């Protein structure tokens, strides 16, 4: 009679054969070994156990079962990216591991600065609060692998953002990002020092490659999220018949994004601001359908792409961007918006949110990024404290 028992050993699985006619010491040793591994007694050779021993053995088996079940449950949570229940060990995850979880919200910082300013912090925090079941990733050009792993720095925004369970901060390594895309050849030929708009152009390229490879939503670092975006494949209309590239979303490997990368290289002109960004998105969308003016708050659909009404992200158009930093008699409710673009590119005078100013921007900070706002208040208090020299 042949009895099959699977035994786990380092590097291989061994098949054991039972023979009822062999009763040697070697056979007894094997039986004890198998019994130890699979926790199942060999009835022929096992001595009878007392009732108490049998009860203890059952308890051990139950505890092992609970441990394995709990481990499998933790793994399933990670694969489902349920960050609100699973505290992810952020320091030990690579960008690919996080991006492969799917449906990431991606932000890019293509300058060399290491301290995210309050508006960047607010954008990332608001997204983390609105999309609690999705990974929020901030890629920073100024980071290296060494600095990215050390969040205990003097930069307050690192501590603030990295304390959120679903926020990840990684170095932006463009050559890696552009691998397996039409943009790699362009990147290897371009000379950043000779590019007039390199910060913007490199960001335009990086967001396309990341969304094509992994899918998800890209947002500029001056976009404050206020409610979830229901669409998966969408572009944001900045105005009628004109698309922004400051926020868009697609599943991985979407043909439209691939076509945009090919057109990026084919019609590259880094001297024209926006040629690789909003103008690129607009001309590519026009190849698919005839764009018309928006009526009311309706959205348009172009084949399988939603072209979202300007009210969704740009209820305050760019000529009026300064209104975000003004006091309103009655604050707008933005009921038709998913997020708000604060037009930081237009903010050449570097207006900022000040505690107690009662501006629209301050109210947005209070509501959608309260941790960043609290940090602003604390920093303002520290600035107002007299220095030791003033006290003398």
């Amino acid at each position: 009679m042949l009895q099959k028992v699977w035994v786990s050993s380092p590097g291989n699985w061994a098949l054991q054969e039972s023979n009822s006619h062999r009763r040697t010491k070697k056979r007894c040793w094997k039986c004890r070994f198998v019994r130890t591994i699979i926790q199942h007694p060999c009835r022929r050779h096992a001595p009878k156990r007392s009732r108490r021993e049998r009860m203890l053995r059952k308890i051990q088996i139950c505890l092992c079962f609970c441990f394995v079940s709990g481990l499998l449950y933790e793994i399933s949570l990670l694969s489902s990216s349920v960050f609100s229940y699973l505290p992810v060990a952020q320091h030990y995850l690579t960008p690919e591991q996080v991006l492969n979880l799917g449906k990431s919200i991606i932000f890019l910082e293509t300058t060399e600065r290491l301290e995210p300013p309050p508006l960047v912090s607010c954008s990332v925090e608001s997204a983390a609060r609105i999309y609690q079941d999705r990974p929020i990733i901030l890629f920073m050009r100024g980071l290296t692998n060494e600095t990215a792993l050390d969040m205990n720095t003097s930069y307050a925004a690192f501590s603030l953002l990295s304390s959120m369970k679903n926020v990840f901060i990684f170095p932006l390594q463009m050559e890696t990002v552009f691998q397996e895309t039409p943009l790699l050849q362009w990147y290897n030929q371009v000379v950043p020092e000779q590019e007039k708009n390199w910060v913007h152009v490199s960001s335009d390229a990086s967001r396309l490659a990341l969304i094509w490879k992994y899918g998800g939503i890209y947002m500029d670092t001056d976009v404050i999220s206020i409610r979830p975006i229901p669409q998966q494949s969408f572009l944001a209309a900045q105005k009628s018949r004109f698309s922004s590239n400051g926020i868009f979303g697609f599943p991985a490997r979407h043909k439209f994004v691939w076509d945009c990368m090919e057109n990026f290289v084919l019609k590259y002109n880094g001297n024209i601001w926006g040629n690789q960004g909003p103008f690129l998105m607009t001309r590519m969308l026009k190849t698919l359908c005839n764009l018309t003016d928006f009526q009311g708050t309706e959205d348009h659909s172009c084949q399988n792409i939603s072209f979202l009404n300007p009210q969704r992200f740009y209820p305050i158009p760019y000529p009026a961007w300064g209104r975000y930093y003004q006091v309103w008699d009655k604050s707008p409710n933005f009921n038709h918006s998913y997020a708000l673009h604060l037009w930081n590119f237009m903010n050449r005078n570097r207006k900022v949110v000040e505690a107690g100013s009662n501006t629209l921007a301050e109210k947005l900070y209070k509501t959608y990024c309260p941790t960043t706002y609290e940090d602003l208040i604390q920093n303002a208090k520290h600035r107002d404290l007299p220095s030791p020299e003033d006290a003398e």
Side-chain angles (χ1 to χ4, degrees):
M1 178 180 179
L2 184 66
Q3 179 185 0
K4 296 182 179 179
V5 183
W6 291 106
V7 182
S8 176
S9 63
N12 67 333
W13 290 90
L15 184 63
Q16 302 292 325
E17 181 177 345
S18 172
N19 190 327
S20 61
H21 299 289
R22 294 183 181 180
R23 300 180 181 178
T24 62
K25 293 182 179 180
K26 183 178 180 180
R27 178 64 186 85
C28 294
W29 178 86
K30 289 184 177 180
C31 185
R32 288 196 300 273
F33 178 74
V34 172
R35 187 165 67 253
T36 301
I37 296 296
I38 66 175
Q39 299 296 309
H40 183 74
C42 180
R43 294 183 180 179
R44 179 177 297 273
H45 301 280
K48 291 185 178 180
R49 300 178 183 276
S50 67
R51 184 175 181 181
R52 182 178 180 181
E53 287 176 327
R54 290 197 299 271
M55 182 62 69
L56 288 173
R57 179 52 56 91
K58 289 180 179 179
I59 292 174
Q60 289 175 342
I61 293 173
C62 289
L63 290 175
C64 289
F65 177 80
C66 292
F67 174 79
V68 173
S69 298
L71 183 61
L72 293 174
Y73 180 66
E74 291 286 318
I75 293 173
S76 69
L77 286 181
L78 179 59
S79 63
S80 302
S81 67
V82 186
F83 294 100
S84 56
Y85 297 99
L86 178 65
V88 179
Q90 295 166 316
H91 292 197
Y92 302 103
L93 292 176
T94 65
E96 290 75 17
Q97 288 173 322
V98 178
L99 288 163
N100 283 329
L101 293 173
K103 296 185 177 181
S104 299
I105 311 295
I106 298 174
F107 295 89
L108 293 174
E109 175 59 75
T110 51
T111 70
E112 294 292 332
R113 66 185 175 190
L114 289 174
E115 171 69 345
L119 182 53
V120 175
S121 177
C122 184
S123 297
V124 176
E125 180 188 346
S126 65
R129 293 179 180 275
I130 296 298
Y131 303 94
Q132 295 186 19
D133 61 338
R134 302 174 70 162
I136 314 299
I137 307 175
L138 172 61
F139 285 101
M140 300 187 70
R141 179 65 174 168
L143 287 180
T144 65
N145 286 327
E146 289 72 24
T147 53
L149 293 174
D150 182 13
M151 295 303 175
N152 298 317
T153 68
S154 59
Y155 300 120
F158 276 118
S159 300
L160 187 156
L161 296 176
S162 62
S163 66
M164 299 179 184
K165 295 178 181 178
N166 59 333
V167 173
F168 301 83
I169 305 176
F170 292 123
L172 176 60
Q173 298 171 333
M174 292 187 187
E175 186 171 359
T176 301
V177 168
F178 297 143
Q179 292 291 333
E180 302 177 1
T181 76
L183 298 168
L184 182 60
Q185 182 180 0
W186 160 80
Y187 180 73
N188 288 333
Q189 294 175 348
V190 73
V191 181
E193 294 77 14
Q194 298 178 1
E195 292 292 323
K196 179 181 177 182
N197 299 298
W198 177 245
V199 169
H200 302 287
V201 168
S202 60
S203 177
D204 292 335
S206 298
R207 68 189 70 175
L208 288 172
L210 286 166
I211 294 299
W212 182 80
K213 281 186 172 182
Y214 303 104
I217 296 174
Y218 168 80
M219 293 185 183
D220 275 351
T221 52
D222 57 350
V223 172
I224 298 178
S225 298
I226 61 177
R227 57 178 57 89
I229 302 169
Q231 291 84 357
Q232 282 192 324
S233 301
F234 71 90
L235 293 173
Q238 183 173 314
K239 59 182 180 180
S240 287
R241 309 187 190 204
F242 190 79
S243 176
S244 162
N245 77 327
I247 179 168
F248 62 93
F250 287 94
R253 301 301 200 266
H254 197 283
K255 184 178 184 302
F256 179 81
V257 184
W258 180 268
D259 292 342
C260 285
M261 290 190 292
E262 289 187 328
N263 190 271
F264 183 106
V265 178
L266 181 65
K267 296 190 176 181
Y268 180 74
N269 188 339
N271 293 322
I272 302 176
W273 187 92
N275 185 64
Q276 317 308 129
F279 292 109
L280 166 66
M281 292 294 201
T282 302
R283 64 177 176 260
M284 294 305 297
L285 190 60
K286 286 181 178 179
T287 65
L288 299 180
C289 60
N290 182 28
L291 301 182
T292 59
D293 292 337
F294 288 94
Q295 302 297 327
T297 58
E298 66 177 3
D299 295 321
H300 290 173
S301 179
C302 185
Q303 295 190 22
N304 66 340
I305 301 172
S306 297
F307 190 39
L308 301 184
N309 193 289
Q311 289 294 316
R312 305 300 181 211
F313 307 104
Y314 302 100
I316 297 179
Y318 76 89
W321 69 271
R323 300 195 67 189
Y324 279 114
Y325 298 93
Q326 294 175 357
V327 178
W328 291 51
D329 294 333
K330 182 180 179 181
S331 298
N333 53 37
F334 299 116
N335 285 338
H336 301 292
S337 301
Y338 301 134
L340 305 173
H341 194 162
L342 268 61
W343 303 106
N344 195 52
F345 178 71
M346 304 293 295
N347 189 3
R348 295 182 177 87
N349 293 329
R350 296 299 171 219
K351 294 183 178 181
V352 296
V353 171
E354 296 180 359
S357 61
N358 204 34
T359 61
L360 176 58
E362 184 192 16
K363 293 180 179 179
L364 293 174
Y365 274 46
K366 283 182 179 180
T367 305
Y368 300 108
C369 54
T371 306
T372 298
Y373 181 71
E374 183 64 26
D375 188 61
L376 274 178
I377 294 176
Q378 294 299 325
N379 289 339
K381 288 180 179 179
H382 289 313
R383 287 195 300 268
D384 293 339
L385 290 175
S387 64
E389 292 80 4
D390 295 334
E392 293 178 356

